[in-house]
Amino acid sequence: MKVCVLGAGIMGNGIAQLAAMAGDDAVLRDISDEALERGFAAIDKSLARFVKAGRLTAEQSAAARARVTGTTDLAEAVAGADVVIEAVPEILDLKQQVWREVLEHAPEDALFGTNTSQLSITRIASALGDSAWRLCGTHFFNPPVMMRLCELVAGLQTRPEVLERAREFGEHLGKTVVVCRKDSPGFITSRAYAILRLECIRMLEEGVATAEDIDTALKLGFNFPMGPLELGDMNGLDTFVHAVEGLAEAHGDRFRPTVGLRNMVAAGRLGRKTGAGFYEYDEKGERR
Ligand SMILES: NC(=O)c1ccc[n+]([C@@H]2O[C@H](COP(=O)([O-])OP(=O)(O)OC[C@H]3O[C@@H](n4cnc5c(N)ncnc54)[C@H](O)[C@@H]3O)[C@@H](O)[C@H]2O)c1
């Protein structure tokens, strides 16, 4: 199977690696050679970790690596593809532009998936005109080679057979697949998790418990690998405010960011990337 992945960033290179590890030929497409090189460097690093952990032999790793190629030419990337997964930045116009180009060059029976984390599938698909039914959301998680979930999202016009093929593809990559049947902001995962993190932030602001104790309670009480506050710091609090503002617009006030959270963002306490968020970090990004 030929899998074309558009965008060689954090998610794109991980999805290409995943496909190569499942035995597919993966083609990464990005807009510059530098971006492709960064993507390949990330794949090399990740494959080396798999070998070190004894989860792949050196031969399996080399074979997977040999199955990933890169190009800046979109027509070449999508030619003959069985599956096209788009993982370009989260900008509606950009994604629509990319899908218009894909439609021009991709085989008529290729499966189309967008890895958007919160944009409307229906709006992205509108760029495909009469072919809007071909696109669904294929939401992988970071890092794609480790996280077990693939959340499929149906746009208003997505045909059931497209979801069925996407399910087969996700399972072929070794993922457990869930389906968000309505194109609803936040899908299943981000919508549920945003409420949980907001409630943790409210508890912190009310002085109910310290950040450490809130994170520890959720980690040990519910077997979460990371607490919602520390994970918020890792992903960036500005990104989180942006996400919950969108969710509040769609689902109501329960998603409204707190005043404290807005103040943190205004003060540049964005999490690990600025050295401070709910926790403080040193120059290496380690928690103080
Ligand atoms: N990072 C995460 O944790 C995460 C998790 C789930 C979903 N997502 C979603 O996945 C998508 C990609 O996110 P990311 O974190 O990998 O972003 P990223 O910024 O790491 O990578 C995006 C890549 O796309 C490239 N690009 C830009 N325009 C392009 C074009 N026209 N054609 C091909 N490539 C192009 C960029 O050069 C860059 O290399 C976004 O929609 C994001 O919301 C991200």
Side-chain angles (χ1 to χ4, degrees), residues 57-265:
T57 64
E59 293 72 36
Q60 287 168 327
S61 161
R65 180 64 181 77
R67 283 192 285 269
V68 190
T69 53
T71 178
T72 52
D73 183 336
L74 181 127
E76 180 192 323
V78 299
D82 298 287
V83 179
V84 180
I85 303 289
E86 167 269 305
V88 306
E90 191 77 341
I91 303 164
L92 180 63
D93 290 352
L94 175 64
K95 287 190 187 282
Q96 289 180 327
Q97 177 55 38
V98 166
W99 280 111
R100 260 182 232 115
E101 283 177 51
V102 171
L103 189 63
E104 251 178 67
H105 302 284
E108 277 183 11
D109 56 354
L111 173 69
F112 289 173
T114 171
N115 194 55
T116 180
S117 31
Q118 62 172 25
L119 294 173
S120 156
I121 308 302
T122 311
R123 289 181 74 185
I124 299 173
S126 68
L128 295 173
D130 291 346
S131 298
W133 60 270
R134 290 180 65 180
L135 184 74
C136 70
T138 44
H139 184 200
F140 291 89
F141 291 74
N142 185 13
V145 287
M146 301 301 291
M147 301 297 280
R148 290 175 298 164
L149 185 65
C150 175
E151 180 178 41
L152 301 181
V153 187
L156 195 66
Q157 290 152 293
T158 309
R159 288 196 187 153
E161 61 263 33
V162 172
L163 287 175
E164 211 29 62
R165 280 186 68 197
R167 173 189 291 282
E168 281 166 22
F169 177 62
E171 289 176 349
H172 156 75
L173 297 184
K175 301 302 171 197
T176 296
V177 175
V178 294
V179 181
C180 181
R181 297 193 296 190
K182 282 193 179 168
D183 190 4
S184 161
F187 313 143
I188 307 171
T189 47
S190 306
R191 179 168 168 181
Y193 196 74
I195 280 289
L196 180 78
R197 181 178 293 145
L198 275 175
E199 206 53 44
C200 291
I201 295 170
R202 290 187 194 109
M203 286 194 284
L204 183 68
E205 289 178 11
E206 288 167 20
V208 170
T210 62
E212 284 87 351
D213 280 0
I214 292 170
D215 277 340
T216 302
L218 284 142
K219 276 190 286 194
L220 303 190
F222 300 107
N223 239 354
F224 288 177
M226 285 182 83
L229 301 176
E230 56 182 337
L231 189 56
D233 269 3
M234 199 170 104
N235 294 346
L237 299 182
D238 48 342
T239 308
F240 183 59
V241 167
H242 183 65
V244 286
E245 278 172 348
L247 289 171
E249 199 179 302
H251 303 298
D253 268 1
R254 64 188 190 277
F255 285 96
R256 207 153 38 137
T258 65
V259 173
L261 179 63
R262 282 192 197 282
N263 282 344
M264 284 174 74
V265 171

